[in-house]
Amino acid sequence: MDALELLLTRQSTPRLTTPAPSQLQLQHILDAATRAPDHAGLTPWEFIIAEGDGLTRLGNIFVGALKEKGADADLLTKASNMPLRAPMVITVVAKVKEHPKVPALEQHLAAGCAVMAMQQAAFAQGLGGIWRTGELAFDANVHQSLGLTTSDQIVGFLYLGTPAIDAPTKALKDGMSFARYL
């Protein structure tokens, strides 16, 4: 698959199964992330990888955060199982650094670009993935449990694995319909 085809056919793969990315595939995924636009070379990101028992630990973190909010048993069960929907979940964190020319928003965008690059690298290697967020990405208890600081922000949970089914290709939207000239 060439680069343009990869970009024009990208779509999420919500149904994932084993195997997870191999060590070499994961290395390529993480290396692709570091190629994201990065004003001033701040590398404003961290990648927290969960697989195997780590998926259960991540589920326990989700459950603990929701218990603090008084969630019911059904929601706690769902939260416990969320990371188990893929053999690997990478929590991508924007690690904002004070800089006179690079505002926090730009650093969040850089971390977001890293997620997109990671997902594209997974697809290029025959893997599947889906980028999820949701309320737990913004939960202070989740942040604390992951050892994040108050200036850190989770920009996504990247679920990775082998596609369980061939997802139908979505129709390409006409990019020009969203553009205008000055």
Side-chain angles (χ1 to χ4, degrees):
M1 174 181 306
D2 72 12
L4 188 57
E5 180 185 0
L6 180 67
L7 292 167
L8 294 177
T9 60
R10 187 223 72 82
Q11 64 185 43
S12 295
T13 313
R15 296 201 46 210
L16 300 164
T17 188
T18 57
S22 69
Q23 276 305 119
L24 180 59
Q25 289 171 321
L26 179 59
Q27 184 69 54
H28 292 316
I29 289 166
L30 297 174
D31 289 348
T34 68
R35 299 296 298 173
D38 178 15
H39 189 182
L42 298 178
T43 60
W45 46 64
E46 178 181 33
F47 313 120
I48 304 170
I49 301 165
E51 62 179 327
D53 291 340
L55 295 169
T56 302
R57 286 191 292 276
L58 183 59
N60 290 339
I61 289 170
F62 292 168
V63 167
L66 291 173
K67 274 185 181 176
E68 289 290 319
K69 294 183 176 188
D72 65 25
D74 288 342
L75 185 55
L76 296 177
T77 299
K78 180 180 176 185
S80 174
N81 291 322
M82 285 169 55
L84 302 176
R85 295 184 284 192
M88 179 181 285
V89 177
I90 302 177
T91 304
V92 181
V93 181
K95 303 287 284 184
V96 175
K97 299 170 175 117
E98 285 294 321
H99 193 280
K101 294 183 180 179
V102 187
L105 174 62
E106 191 171 339
Q107 296 180 53
H108 288 154
L109 292 171
C113 287
V115 180
M116 178 69 174
M118 293 165 77
Q119 191 180 43
Q120 291 293 75
F123 292 159
Q125 298 177 91
L127 298 165
I130 185 167
W131 177 355
R132 299 180 184 274
T133 52
E135 70 177 286
L136 292 168
F138 304 94
D139 187 279
N141 290 308
V142 171
H143 286 213
Q144 182 180 13
S145 295
L146 291 174
L148 306 183
T149 70
T150 56
S151 64
D152 296 338
Q153 178 55 57
I154 295 170
V155 296
F157 301 101
L158 183 60
Y159 287 64
L160 295 172
T162 301
I165 60 169
D166 288 333
T169 302
K170 293 179 183 176
L172 181 64
K173 295 178 179 129
D174 176 15
M176 287 303 292
S177 68
F178 302 96
R180 66 184 176 106
Y181 292 95
L182 281 179

